[in-house]
Amino acid sequence: MRLQLAVLAACLATSTVSAQARLDADQIQGLAQDAIAQAISQIDVRQIQGIARDALRGALRSYQGRGGPEETERFSRKVKLGRDGRVTLTNISGDIVFTTGPGDEVSIDAIKRTRGDKSQLATVQIDVSDRPGRVDMETRFTNRFSNRVSVDYTVTVPVSAAVEIKSVSGDVKVTGVRGAVRAEAVSGDVTIVDTPKLEVAKVVSGEVRLTNVASDADLQAASVSGNVRANGVKTHGLDLATVSGG
């Protein structure tokens, strides 16, 4: 509200000064910029933190709720990995959950979601590639209508597997993974529980929550807009950072 008033005041001042022909264009521009800068300096970042977070989290889903019932499509696959393999997942929009299970397989269960035209589901592909000791998963958008589709993942990996997750929009949760874990998101909360080899947990807009985690080296946990909460953390070096949060 203060910013809007400041902009309005700057506009009024500009028109008044122009009418009186007392200042040149550069001076008028300087007055307007000074008024806006002063208003911005008075804004409490915490007051707009929630608005900014909601805006980021809704950016990729803005087209998904345009009417009609929810349409879904399920995807399931099991891939042999081995007990000490590596699993990666790159997702654009949707929640991600990683848990552990017995054996040496990676179990992938995904749900595509959209509203209205069910054919939109076909514009999003789930690519799974595997080779000895590694499984890579990626959500791939094939055209401009793909941003109306989100994909939620539930992935079960061998206990000792290493995991790397990159998400644009959606919550990420990893529980019980004993191998190295790296989790990064643009918009959404990142939650890591019972992981003894956490390396990175970062988010731009959202919270980072760490519970009963450890690291063999330095641990990086950061949020640009959100809180970083750590409980039961054991590590040689801990780098906790937040620009707007606690």
Side-chain angles (χ1 to χ4, degrees), residues 14-242:
T14 300
S15 62
T16 301
V17 173
S18 298
Q20 295 176 351
R22 293 179 180 174
L23 298 175
D24 60 24
D26 290 340
Q27 290 173 314
I28 292 171
Q29 183 179 4
L31 283 175
Q33 291 175 343
D34 289 344
I36 293 172
Q38 183 178 2
I40 291 174
S41 68
Q42 295 174 353
I43 294 175
D44 184 352
V45 176
R46 293 178 182 271
Q47 292 178 345
I48 63 172
Q49 178 181 336
I51 298 174
R53 183 181 304 173
D54 290 343
L56 282 169
R57 297 188 70 173
L60 287 176
R61 301 194 182 196
S62 60
Y63 293 100
Q64 293 171 7
R66 291 198 165 190
E70 183 181 60
E71 301 288 351
T72 63
E73 178 180 305
R74 293 184 177 273
F75 173 95
S76 294
R77 185 171 172 183
K78 293 182 183 294
V79 183
K80 187 172 182 179
L81 175 69
R83 295 186 179 276
D84 296 318
R86 187 173 189 84
V87 180
T88 71
L89 171 58
T90 302
N91 194 25
I92 298 173
S93 177
D95 296 336
I96 298 171
V97 176
F98 267 70
T99 59
T100 60
D104 57 3
E105 286 187 334
V106 176
S107 176
I108 308 162
D109 292 297
I111 304 177
K112 299 181 188 178
R113 303 182 188 274
T114 191
R115 289 192 179 276
D117 187 358
K118 188 173 184 178
S119 66
Q120 295 172 1
L121 297 171
T123 68
V124 173
Q125 302 297 320
I126 298 174
D127 292 339
V128 179
S129 61
D130 64 283
R131 56 186 185 272
R134 188 178 181 105
V135 175
D136 298 313
M137 298 167 282
E138 181 179 4
T139 304
R140 184 166 55 85
F141 283 7
T142 62
N143 65 36
R144 64 188 181 89
F145 297 107
S146 300
N147 60 5
R148 301 181 182 181
V149 180
S150 64
V151 184
D152 295 336
Y153 284 89
T154 300
V155 182
T156 303
V157 300
V159 173
S160 58
V163 169
E164 181 174 355
I165 303 168
K166 294 183 178 179
S167 170
V168 176
S169 176
D171 294 337
V172 175
K173 184 174 183 179
V174 179
T175 303
V177 174
R178 315 303 287 178
V181 173
R182 301 177 65 90
E184 300 179 56
V186 176
S187 176
D189 296 337
V190 173
T191 303
I192 312 294
V193 181
D194 295 333
T195 296
K197 295 182 180 180
L198 178 61
E199 296 179 354
V200 174
K202 292 183 177 181
V203 65
V204 175
S205 178
E207 287 195 349
V208 174
R209 306 186 187 101
L210 310 178
T211 304
N212 296 332
V213 303
S215 177
D216 293 335
D218 291 343
L219 168 60
Q220 298 180 41
S223 172
V224 175
S225 176
N227 298 320
V228 176
R229 305 182 186 277
N231 182 32
V233 175
K234 298 179 181 179
T235 180
H236 294 291
L238 181 60
D239 182 8
L240 295 179
T242 177

